[in-house]
């Protein structure tokens, strides 16, 4: 058999990966214990998405395993052993603000959980491809010290800077910066994943995501920018913009496009490779621009307010340079731009809320 293990299978990237790879593997094993509900409340639960996978994918098997429990994780790897060809690790505690509430929980999920999966891979299926979903927050707030210019609806980097054309590349330092505790725990996992690739010669790839988005996101106030924004546009619930005059810029990559990057990497893995993975100059927006787009699609004004206090460690301007990945895997390209993504989110969110 050829088996893929996907952690965080009920989440945005995990569920997209399960669907994408279901016709490429004999068995998809999804690992998810719905901790997103514990993190963010009932509205953020992923159980609906797990049920959708079980209903629609005949070769999908779901396991409610906590990745912090090494013994339970190892049972899965012992059972399937060398048949495991791919591990996509998309489970995480994903919020800046939440991490500060429970630092031990955040670190044990993001860092220790990743180490558990890497070590189980090394012990039981060392030739498998291991893909780690990291984050641009490993760069901390270093992007905020770039020469930024305030425009009418967004912050932008000065046109003379090398990052202006394509965005921030993988050479930006991840040191001497404020990360937030979430950023620190993900940086620990990011470095450990690279090390298993470089030190042990394993097929480990690290993908530092921008804003990951798509129609199957359980968006909430503390995580899931576009999904939660559209939910507020539909329901009329209040939305708060935090700091930077609402002009902070994010690049947004559709979950399909990210998982398609995983597919190209899986076919020709590079050991210990690290890639920025976001919407790049192809798909990005400021908060104000996103609100305007959501209002247009939803057909009504949003109920939003502004707080001048920004979130700690938040980026003022971040656009991913994906040219390193495009050079290594030239057949990959984007499928969904920002507008089509938002229309998808609106359609699916309307069904759910």
């Amino acid at each position: 058999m050829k088996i893929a293990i996907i952690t965080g299978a009920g989440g945005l990237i995990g569920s997209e990966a399960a669907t994408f790879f279901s016709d490429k593997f004999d068995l998809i094993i999804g690992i998810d214990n719905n901790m997103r509900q514990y993190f963010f409340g009932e509205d953020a639960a992923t159980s609906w998405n797990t049920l959708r996978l079980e209903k629609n994918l005949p070769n999908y098997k779901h396991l409610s395993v906590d990745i912090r429990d090494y013994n339970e994780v190892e049972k899965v790897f012992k059972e399937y052993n060398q048949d495991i060809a791919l591990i996509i690790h998309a489970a995480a505690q994903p919020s800046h603000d939440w991490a500060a509430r429970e630092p031990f929980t955040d670190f044990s999920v993001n860092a220790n959980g990743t180490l558990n999966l890497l070590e189980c891979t090394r012990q039981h299926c060392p030739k498998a491809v291991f893909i780690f979903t990291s984050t641009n927050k490993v760069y901390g707030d270093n992007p905020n010290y770039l020469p930024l210019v305030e425009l009418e609806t967004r912050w932008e980097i000065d046109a003379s800077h090398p990052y202006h054309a394509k965005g921030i590349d993988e050479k930006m330092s991840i040191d001497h910066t404020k990360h937030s505790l979430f950023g620190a725990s993900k940086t620990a996992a990011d470095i450990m994943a690279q090390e298993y690739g470089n030190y042990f010669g394993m097929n480990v790839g690290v993908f530092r995501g921008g804003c990951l988005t798509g129609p199957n996101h359980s968006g909430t106030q503390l995580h899931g920018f576009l999904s939660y924004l559209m939910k507020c546009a539909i329901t009329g619930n209040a939305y708060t913009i935090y700091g930077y005059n609402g002009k902070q810029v994010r690049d947004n990559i559709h979950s399909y496009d990210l998982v398609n990057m995983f597919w190209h990497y899986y076919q020709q893995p590079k050991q210990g490779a690290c890639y920025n993975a976001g919407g790049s100059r192809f798909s990005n927006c400021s908060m104000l621009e996103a609100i305007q787009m959501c209002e247009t699609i939803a057909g009504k004004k949003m109920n939003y307010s502004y707080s001048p206090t920004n979130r700690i460690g938040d980026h003022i301007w971040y656009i991913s340079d994906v040219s390193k990945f495009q050079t290594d895997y030239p057949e990959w390209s984007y499928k969904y731009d920002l507008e089509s993504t938002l229309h998808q989110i609106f359609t699916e969110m309307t069904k759910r809320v």
Side-chain angles (χ1 to χ4, degrees), residues 85-317:
L86 172 64
I87 300 93
I88 296 176
H89 177 30
Q93 189 299 109
S95 167
H96 284 280
D97 300 328
W98 197 95
R101 299 178 187 176
E102 295 187 27
F104 282 102
T105 303
D106 173 78
F107 197 87
S108 62
V109 171
N110 289 347
N112 294 358
T114 301
L115 177 58
N116 288 342
L117 289 156
L118 286 165
E119 184 60 13
C120 282
T121 301
R122 185 172 78 94
Q123 294 296 334
H124 300 284
C125 50
K127 295 182 180 179
V129 172
F130 188 106
I131 292 171
F132 174 56
T133 307
S134 186
T135 171
N136 61 20
K137 300 306 186 291
V138 301
Y139 299 116
D141 62 0
N142 275 331
N144 292 353
Y145 298 99
L146 294 169
L148 301 178
V149 180
E150 186 175 5
L151 304 180
E152 183 178 356
T153 62
R154 62 160 53 202
W155 288 94
E156 188 53 84
I157 192 168
D158 188 273
S160 65
H161 195 277
Y163 286 160
H164 184 269
K166 296 181 179 179
I168 294 169
D169 64 26
E170 296 82 358
K171 295 178 182 177
M172 172 167 273
S173 174
I174 63 174
D175 203 0
H176 305 294
T177 180
K178 182 190 293 180
H179 291 84
S180 81
L181 296 185
F182 156 73
S185 64
K186 289 293 285 188
T187 300
D190 183 303
I191 295 296
M192 187 62 75
Q194 290 184 63
E195 204 61 26
Y196 266 72
N198 294 323
Y199 188 90
F200 293 118
M202 292 169 58
N203 296 319
V204 179
V206 173
F207 290 77
R208 294 173 173 168
C211 281
L212 314 181
T213 191
N216 295 315
H217 211 176
S218 296
T220 184
Q221 183 176 5
L222 295 182
H223 184 253
F225 161 44
L226 288 183
S227 177
Y228 182 67
L229 191 65
M230 186 61 80
K231 181 187 290 186
C232 291
I234 294 168
T235 62
N237 291 344
Y239 186 89
T240 303
I241 300 171
Y242 292 98
Y244 304 128
N245 295 322
K247 298 179 181 181
Q248 54 268 57
V249 170
R250 305 283 179 270
D251 67 340
N252 303 274
I253 185 169
H254 192 290
S255 51
Y256 175 91
D257 288 328
L258 178 62
V259 171
N260 194 25
M261 293 176 89
F262 297 169
W263 170 236
H264 282 77
Y265 176 82
Y266 168 75
Q267 294 174 89
Q268 291 183 300
K270 299 181 185 298
Q271 296 175 340
C274 184
Y275 300 105
N276 284 350
S280 72
R281 283 294 185 186
F282 177 77
S283 173
N284 64 85
C285 61
S286 71
M287 287 293 307
L288 292 179
E289 292 164 352
I291 287 171
Q292 184 177 29
M293 293 180 74
C294 286
E295 287 180 336
T296 300
I297 292 170
K300 57 182 178 180
K301 286 289 185 180
M302 287 190 62
N303 174 22
Y304 68 92
S305 59
Y306 177 73
S307 170
T309 305
N310 62 279
R311 286 172 167 157
I312 298 174
D314 206 8
H315 290 153
I316 303 172
W317 178 91

Side-chain angles (χ1 to χ4, degrees), residues 29-40:
I29 298 173
I31 293 178
D32 196 315
N33 63 342
N34 196 23
M35 277 200 75
R36 190 174 177 87
Q37 181 172 347
Y38 174 75
F39 298 146
F40 308 127

